[in-house]
Amino acid sequence: MAQANTAAPARKLPGSLDTNRRLDRWLSINADGTVTLYTGKVEIGQGILTAVMQMTAEELDIDVSRIRLKAASTAFSPDEGITSGSRSIQESGLALRHVAAETRDLLLTRAAQKLGVTLESLTVADGVVSARGGGSVTYWELATPDLLAREATFDITAKLPQEHVVVGTSLERVDIPNKVTGKPSFVQDMQPEGLLHGRISRPPGPKATLKAIDLKEVEQMPGVVAVVRDGNFLGVVAQREEQAIRAERRLARIAQWNNGPELPANDPRHLLTLQAQAESEVISTKGDPSTAGAKQLSAEYTKPYLAHASLAPSCALAQWGSGADSGKLWIWTHSQGIYPLRGDMAQVLGMPEQDIIITHAEGAGCYGHNAADDVTLDAVLLARAVPGKPVRVQWMREDEFAWEPFSSPMVVRLNASLDDKGNIVNWGHELWSHAHSTRPGGKGGVNLLAAWHLEKPLPAAKPGNPPLPGGGSHRNAVPLYDFPNQKVTNHLIRQSPLRTSALRALGGHANAYAIECFIDELAEAAGADPVEFRLRHLIDPRAKAVIEKVAQMARWKPNEKGDGERGRGIGFARYKNLAAYIAVIAEVHIAEDVRVTKLWGAVDVGQAINPDGVINQIEGGMIQSASWTLKERVDFDKVGITTRNWLDYPILSFVEVPEIEVALINRPEAPPVGAGEGTQGPVSGAIGNAIYNAIGARLRDMPFTRDRIVAALSA
Amino acid sequence: MALTIQVNGKPREVQADAETPLLYALRNDLGLIGSRYGCGLGQCGACTVIIDGKPVQSCDVPVSAVVGKPITTVEALGTDAAMHPLQQAFIAEQAAQCGYCASGILMSAKALLDVNNNPSDAEIRKALEGNLCRCGTHSRILRAIKRAAKELRGEQ
């Protein structure tokens, strides 16, 4: 028999280790008794750094306090793409878990040699390796720079869940003490020597062009160091922040713009008029989708453009080298993807990637692709006018609302048939959406706002749509429920009147929301209780378990009915159909205002690395989704965005937020998955169902404002 | 032009025009970056400081208007060695995600607890009406403030 003479393909390694295989890209064991950890994922308020520290400390058998985190930088960090999709635990966490396990093994091998004993006789406590028969040595003595200068082998097995002592505990977040004592914590807080301040003056609408402007007047204003115009890109650099703001206001007053083509009416159903441009694809079929049952139902649900609305307007610092450093560029940004950003930046500037050093610094929570990348190019373009000087650009609140990429509007049409026993025998789901993925790193262009406004503009990359099973617009469009016959169709209209990109859960929000509302509509038609109706159409025991758990927490009564003002409803989804299981019950009170008064959530994220961290993420997702569902919509007129501040875009306030109760079903034996996004659809569905339960009016167009409830009641 | 303001118990000189928002003087002249820019319109509360015992959004008040008035920022709420009960409670309850809103909320809460150390849930919510949190950590923040109030009353 012929022997294969080709080398075996490289083994698939866990998480991001597969593409960053050297151990020393991830960890260093230091002589001073500390361990430095390099992750390519970034903190965006989700507590990821604390979780990966726990996973590392666990495998190394060291106290977490020994770990030092190095801010992600293109100068040395592993390239882990983008921190998104609730994948950081799976990608960075699992990589570091494995790197730490191999590192421990390498250290123990050295210890065994040094102590002249067998590996089996060694134990480790906080980095001290002891032999059973006496003698000990520390990691800090054993480690030399060559220790980790090698690729991972994957021959070492990480600990079993039952051996965990750090993982699975609610370690306090490492970043919170600085944040509650007012210490520098964010890119916004960086104040290097000689710092200058920049602001950008944007067009009135997405395609407007600059007709005329007299820069002289602004150049002579107090503190102004430079005014930059490049095509339709207009900005100013000043000594002091308020001087930059004043100068920008003057630019805005004197600039004359040609408005671009008119924007369409602000209605998600505008998507339906673009059918000719749609890429339509049947993404799931089962059985015979033409099956008819005893009863047929159909309904159409929509969501509007939504904003990320980070509390902090986006901010970045940039400094061009001068003299000997000429041609080099340093950047500090809260981008979720420093490497993809560097690639786009190099294209805009026409310079080699290695001359651009991008370091991550935290911003406020972003919940997806906000303006973090865009403001970075703004800072770079302004800083180019003052080589050798650091320039900080923070967008004004008005800029953030008007120019961040929005979450796409969506239309979801559902139809189903019930048999004479009240079971769903056929299911149809059609969705219309713009793209949910236009981050930097796209193909065939550059995804940075200012690049499109330059004298020589660069084209935008083709808007992307992440493929199934995770999916983008079609995320969670294939039902987890088990129906004998079904058909799911995705109508993707990539080009949108307003720029759209990733917001928490992507299309999974609208899809799961629509499915969950429609399930309740069907349950009612079948004369069934919504909880029982869901359970009978599910096979997956983990799915059933979260639904049963939340029903128990809320003391759900079969077929419970609202009283005309108060009511409750349920929603469920498994995020991306492959990650967290989440079931939610919402209680609403419809009086003068539409209030969600209480939310219960039951969650299964597999192994919970940091249970309180998971619960914090879940609570936050639930409240944010309640806010989207009740209040949020980006508004625009024919020229541009009219949503400019928090009065135009109200979010749930402290007076309005619901009480919240979350239970975790911890499954240490199951792989850990992210917790950041899975709540969005179930919460909206539960609220829609609770409103119906309370007042008998079915709202299908988010947001569920008072006006819409009044209209639905009088319809 | 130089103006002298009373910040955290000390007179501090800032080289700012009279109409410069207090926030920029605090952050950029005095390096007190704990007060943060969120909207510049007095709508979000990320820049809240205490002036004359009242929570004030520092982005929305000219520096000349606060000359001679006592200003307290989050930096003076406690020290690392002796944190204010509110700061301790925020850590104990893990009452943050991104934490950008935290210092403003801490100052609004301090202004409340200074005059009422046993506030009801509704009173705390009302006191935070001018503070936005986008991450959705509200319920933890409410718990933390109740915990700090209890501590201040000597009950724990």
Side-chain angles (χ1 to χ4, degrees):
Chain A
M1 193 167 140
Q3 200 96 40
N5 60 359
T6 49
R11 288 161 85 174
K12 170 97 181 127
L13 299 181
S16 311
L17 190 55
D18 198 47
T19 46
N20 301 274
R21 303 173 82 99
R22 269 177 66 116
L23 299 178
D24 56 6
R25 284 235 65 187
W26 295 92
L27 266 190
S28 71
I29 307 287
N30 309 319
D32 65 356
T34 61
V35 171
T36 309
L37 192 155
Y38 310 89
T39 163
K41 297 291 183 184
V42 301
E43 184 65 50
I44 47 177
Q46 82 283 43
I48 187 62
L49 299 182
T50 307
V52 298
M53 282 168 69
Q54 282 179 267
M55 294 173 85
T56 308
E58 180 70 66
E59 296 304 326
L60 276 175
D61 286 318
I62 56 166
D63 194 89
V64 182
S65 63
R66 293 189 181 275
I67 297 183
R68 305 288 176 267
L69 281 159
K70 203 84 171 147
S73 170
T74 58
F76 49 75
S77 297
D79 181 357
E80 294 200 76
I82 294 164
T83 302
S84 67
S86 300
R87 298 188 318 264
S88 298
I89 290 283
Q90 292 100 304
E91 294 181 355
S92 203
L94 293 185
L96 273 159
R97 170 181 277 177
H98 187 77
V99 168
E102 287 208 12
T103 301
R104 180 181 185 277
D105 183 71
L106 291 168
L107 287 162
L108 290 195
T109 304
R110 283 196 178 178
Q113 280 165 3
K114 184 151 187 160
L115 299 172
V117 297
T118 62
L119 267 178
E120 290 69 34
S121 73
L122 296 175
T123 56
V124 187
D126 194 20
V128 180
V129 189
S130 305
R132 205 177 297 130
S136 70
V137 61
T138 67
Y139 284 177
W140 336 114
E141 295 162 329
L142 292 165
T144 49
D146 62 313
L147 177 77
L148 301 179
R150 66 185 79 204
E151 289 203 350
T153 61
F154 207 23
D155 291 334
I156 305 302
T157 316
K159 286 184 185 174
L160 296 170
Q162 57 266 32
E163 299 173 284
H164 287 163
V165 292
V166 185
V167 162
T169 63
S170 292
L171 186 75
E172 287 183 349
R173 283 254 305 269
V174 292
D175 51 334
I176 293 181
N178 278 346
K179 289 175 177 176
V180 297
T181 49
K183 299 221 172 52
S185 299
F186 302 100
V187 70
Q188 284 85 354
D189 301 338
M190 292 180 68
Q191 298 183 328
E193 190 61 39
L195 183 67
L196 299 173
H197 295 271
R199 286 297 183 277
I200 312 300
S201 200
R202 295 278 182 216
K207 301 264 192 258
T209 51
L210 185 54
K211 220 166 23 177
I213 184 149
D214 178 12
L215 300 182
K216 287 236 165 47
E217 184 184 334
V218 177
E219 281 162 353
Q220 286 156 9
M221 287 178 69
V224 169
V225 178
V227 183
V228 175
R229 182 197 171 176
D230 187 339
N232 300 311
F233 177 83
L234 195 54
V236 61
V237 182
Q239 296 286 351
R240 292 182 58 94
E241 192 164 11
E242 68 274 14
Q243 291 169 334
I245 293 168
R246 270 182 226 135
E248 187 284 315
R249 296 223 162 112
R250 184 78 63 89
L251 284 173
R253 265 203 306 282
I254 62 176
Q256 296 173 51
W257 298 89
N258 287 314
N259 293 337
E262 285 190 359
L263 293 169
N266 189 7
D267 178 353
R269 289 180 179 81
H270 174 69
L271 281 158
L272 302 173
T273 69
L274 303 173
Q275 186 64 45
Q277 302 165 36
E279 297 165 42
S280 299
E281 183 192 3
V282 176
I283 57 169
S284 167
T285 51
K286 251 165 92 178
D288 175 7
S290 67
T291 305
K295 258 187 204 171
Q296 330 288 332
L297 263 79
S298 64
E300 184 176 286
Y301 303 85
T302 71
K303 66 157 274 218
Y305 283 103
L306 291 177
H308 301 78
S310 293
L311 198 67
S314 297
C315 179
L317 274 72
Q319 181 173 352
W320 286 81
S322 60
D325 285 328
S326 205
K328 279 222 183 308
L329 170 61
W330 289 271
I331 290 170
W332 296 267
T333 173
H334 55 105
S335 168
Q336 286 173 273
I338 52 174
Y339 285 97
L341 173 60
R342 185 177 66 165
D344 275 27
M345 198 66 76
Q347 287 185 60
V348 177
L349 303 170
M351 59 192 278
E353 287 192 4
Q354 64 268 25
D355 290 340
I356 306 172
I357 296 106
I358 304 188
T359 301
H360 181 265
E362 265 186 72
C366 61
Y367 329 108
H369 177 201
N370 71 350
D373 298 295
D374 297 321
V375 74
T376 308
L377 179 55
D378 292 344
V380 165
L381 294 174
L382 293 190
R384 192 160 60 178
V386 286
K389 299 264 190 188
V391 174
R392 172 189 184 275
V393 176
Q394 182 164 23
W395 280 13
M396 303 302 286
R397 171 51 55 197
E398 297 84 343
D399 300 327
E400 190 78 15
F401 271 122
W403 291 98
E404 64 150 287
F406 303 116
S407 170
S408 174
M410 284 178 67
V411 177
V412 180
R413 277 188 193 156
L414 299 174
N415 64 80
S417 300
L418 293 167
D419 65 13
D420 51 10
K421 295 190 208 66
N423 292 321
I424 298 168
V425 290
N426 193 8
W427 178 269
H429 181 139
E430 279 191 272
L431 70 102
W432 288 260
S433 177
H434 295 303
H436 291 262
S437 189
T438 63
R439 292 179 188 272
K443 290 197 173 66
V446 161
N447 282 337
L448 294 169
L449 177 65
W452 311 328
H453 292 166
L454 298 176
E455 177 79 52
K456 290 183 187 147
L458 285 91
K462 184 180 170 189
N465 201 45
L468 291 169
S473 62
H474 43 358
R475 183 168 291 177
N476 279 98
V478 178
L480 198 72
Y481 298 101
D482 190 52
F483 306 132
N485 305 290
Q486 74 184 27
K487 182 178 174 184
V488 182
T489 311
N490 179 28
H491 303 281
L492 175 68
I493 298 125
R494 287 184 199 264
Q495 300 299 338
S496 48
L498 303 174
R499 178 166 61 142
T500 59
S501 196
L503 171 67
R504 209 168 194 167
L506 312 190
H509 170 232
N511 288 317
Y513 145 72
I515 290 171
E516 288 305 295
C517 288
F518 196 53
I519 287 278
D520 258 42
E521 298 197 43
L522 289 160
E524 188 187 35
D529 172 67
V531 170
E532 183 277 322
F533 192 69
R534 282 174 172 77
L535 293 172
R536 80 161 92 142
H537 287 96
L538 283 164
I539 294 173
D540 188 335
R542 290 172 71 182
K544 290 184 183 182
V546 290
I547 291 175
E548 284 164 348
K549 177 75 185 175
V550 82
Q552 178 206 341
M553 289 165 69
R555 298 200 173 82
W556 180 267
K557 293 187 277 303
N559 294 303
E560 65 174 57
K561 281 276 170 294
D563 65 2
E565 279 196 2
R566 289 175 190 275
R568 306 201 298 176
I570 186 166
F572 158 80
R574 182 182 192 195
Y575 186 50
K576 300 183 189 174
N577 289 351
L578 49 75
Y581 295 86
I582 295 170
V584 172
I585 288 176
E587 176 188 81
V588 299
H589 184 202
I590 319 281
E592 278 304 296
D593 289 315
V594 189
R595 288 278 171 89
V596 174
T597 46
K598 176 131 192 193
L599 291 170
W600 294 263
V603 182
D604 170 358
V605 293
Q607 180 183 38
I609 303 298
N610 183 318
D612 186 65
V614 171
I615 292 171
N616 197 350
Q617 281 294 291
I618 296 291
E619 290 173 349
M622 287 169 78
I623 286 177
Q624 191 173 89
S625 180
S627 184
W628 294 355
T629 309
L630 294 183
K631 305 184 91 115
E632 298 183 29
R633 183 177 85 153
V634 174
D635 280 321
F636 53 91
D637 61 16
K638 288 174 179 169
V639 177
I641 307 300
T642 51
T643 295
R644 295 282 170 145
N645 60 54
W646 293 111
L647 299 181
D648 303 330
Y649 197 87
I651 62 172
L652 275 192
S653 71
F654 269 96
V655 173
E656 297 166 314
V657 287
E659 263 187 75
I660 197 155
E661 196 179 319
V662 173
L664 204 56
I665 301 178
N666 196 359
R667 297 188 188 275
E669 73 288 354
V673 296
E677 302 175 285
T679 44
Q680 306 311 96
V683 169
S684 291
I687 294 173
N689 293 335
I691 292 174
Y692 182 80
N693 183 263
I695 59 170
R698 174 57 68 180
L699 275 76
R700 299 192 184 90
D701 298 309
M702 291 188 282
F704 303 150
T705 58
R706 189 171 184 277
D707 287 353
R708 283 187 167 162
I709 286 178
V710 171
L713 280 172
S714 55
Chain B
M1 143 180 179
L3 290 167
T4 302
I5 53 177
Q6 300 294 323
V7 184
N8 300 332
K10 286 186 198 128
R12 301 291 300 268
E13 193 174 284
V14 296
Q15 295 290 331
D17 290 349
E19 70 269 31
T20 299
L22 173 61
L23 176 66
Y24 300 122
L26 292 174
R27 288 180 62 84
N28 300 336
D29 290 281
L30 304 180
L32 298 169
I33 51 70
S35 309
R36 295 191 167 96
Y37 172 84
C39 68
L41 303 161
Q43 296 175 351
C44 79
C47 63
T48 305
V49 298
I50 297 178
I51 303 177
D52 267 343
K54 298 210 166 51
V56 172
Q57 311 214 330
S58 64
C59 73
D60 209 19
V61 50
V63 67
S64 57
V66 298
V67 170
K69 298 181 180 175
I71 301 162
T72 310
T73 72
V74 69
E75 285 86 354
L77 191 51
T79 63
D80 285 355
M83 283 193 200
H84 188 275
L86 275 165
Q87 292 167 317
Q88 292 170 13
F90 268 59
I91 294 170
E93 297 290 348
Q94 293 287 286
Q97 278 184 32
C98 80
Y100 198 86
C101 66
S103 24
I105 289 175
L106 284 160
M107 297 316 280
S108 291
K110 175 167 195 303
L112 170 69
L113 297 186
D114 282 349
V115 295
N116 176 2
N117 70 4
N118 195 9
S120 66
D121 187 68
E123 284 168 333
I124 300 174
R125 286 172 179 253
K126 184 83 193 149
L128 299 182
E129 211 172 10
N131 293 88
L132 297 178
C133 163
R134 183 56 163 165
C135 295
T137 47
H138 304 74
S139 49
R140 288 165 180 258
I141 290 169
L142 294 171
R143 270 208 308 275
I145 294 170
K146 281 178 208 156
R147 185 186 185 115
K150 224 169 159 183
E151 171 82 28
L152 286 164
R153 294 196 304 273
E155 290 172 24
Q156 68 180 37

